[in-house]
Amino acid sequence: LATMSFIQVVFDHNWKEAKKTLEKALALNPNYPLAHIFYGNLLQYSGENTSRGLSEIKKALSLDPLSSAYSWVLGRNYYYSGKYDSAHLQLIKTLILEPNSASAKGFIALTFLAEKKPAEALDYIKQLPVDGNNPQQEYQIFYLNHAYALMGDFNRARAELDKLKNDKTILNKHFHIAQGLVYLGEYDKAID
């Protein structure tokens, strides 16, 4: 049922049915962490109940406290909720569980960027892999132009954006290029 709900959300875009499916899954097995993760994400991302969504993810983590994946999801979702202090603390806990987690380091960098602390973000950005095409991995190239733009170093920010434009291996490249153009204040080009 949890897997079916994932399909309903991601492929069918039927969040109403996915919610029913997840509620049934949780009624049958209230101790299944993945169902709590999916339910928490659904509540949060749909905007239905962000607070309850975070509570569901906390429940999943309480059921499997050594899961670096669940720890990361909680940190990521704190970030998405704008709770940057909580995100930072949770992602540091994730690094204790999995010291080489590029995803945790990437979201720590994002919390610092959201707080307009690019120097602190650069410490984590430089620990990310330089390149690759794994959509589940965080890479330097996506973050450097944002950090440099926040620092007012638009030449370096532009250079990083140019590297991104020329990289043939990156998935979803157009999205990241548009983001990079926004950081440079080039909104019309970003829309194009």
Side-chain angles (χ1 to χ4, degrees):
L1 288 171
T3 301
M4 183 185 300
S5 75
F6 182 83
I7 293 166
Q8 289 168 328
V9 168
V10 175
F11 297 103
D12 299 339
H13 308 286
N14 190 343
W15 292 7
K16 185 177 180 181
E17 282 304 309
K19 183 179 178 194
K20 289 179 189 176
T21 304
L22 281 166
E23 288 169 346
K24 185 174 182 181
L26 288 168
L28 291 170
N29 185 355
N31 294 319
Y32 185 46
L34 196 54
H36 286 284
I37 291 287
F38 291 165
Y39 194 52
N41 284 341
L42 177 66
L43 291 172
Q44 187 168 358
Y45 298 164
S46 68
E48 182 177 326
N49 191 333
T50 298
S51 177
R52 178 140 182 243
L54 288 169
S55 294
E56 288 293 326
I57 293 167
K58 289 177 190 175
K59 174 70 175 176
L61 187 56
S62 74
L63 292 167
D64 191 354
L66 297 179
S67 170
S68 62
Y70 299 161
S71 179
W72 172 76
V73 168
L74 182 56
R76 177 198 66 189
N77 286 26
Y78 276 136
Y79 167 80
Y80 287 146
S81 297
K83 299 176 185 220
Y84 303 128
D85 290 339
S86 296
H88 183 82
L89 292 172
Q90 189 62 46
L91 293 163
I92 293 296
K93 290 178 184 178
T94 304
L95 288 177
I96 292 168
L97 294 168
E98 188 180 337
N100 294 321
S101 172
S103 294
K105 291 175 184 178
F107 269 84
I108 290 171
L110 286 174
T111 63
F112 282 130
L113 291 171
E115 296 173 316
K116 309 288 189 244
K117 298 177 181 176
E120 291 89 339
L122 280 173
D123 290 340
Y124 284 93
I125 293 169
K126 290 177 180 175
Q127 296 177 45
L128 298 175
V130 175
D131 58 12
N133 62 5
N134 180 345
Q136 301 303 316
Q137 190 69 280
E138 308 296 323
Y139 297 98
Q140 283 184 17
I141 198 164
F142 302 138
Y143 299 93
L144 285 172
N145 113 297
H146 187 183
Y148 292 138
L150 278 175
M151 296 170 90
D153 190 343
F154 295 107
N155 289 332
R156 286 175 83 181
R158 167 80 47 213
E160 292 302 326
L161 185 58
D162 289 342
K163 284 183 203 174
L164 178 60
K165 287 178 180 177
N166 294 323
D167 192 315
K168 305 271 190 256
T169 65
I170 295 175
L171 299 173
N172 303 317
K173 181 165 73 168
H174 298 294
F175 169 77
H176 296 293
I177 291 169
Q179 251 185 341
L181 289 165
V182 167
Y183 300 144
L184 292 170
E186 299 180 16
Y187 306 114
D188 289 340
K189 288 182 181 177
I191 289 171
D192 288 344

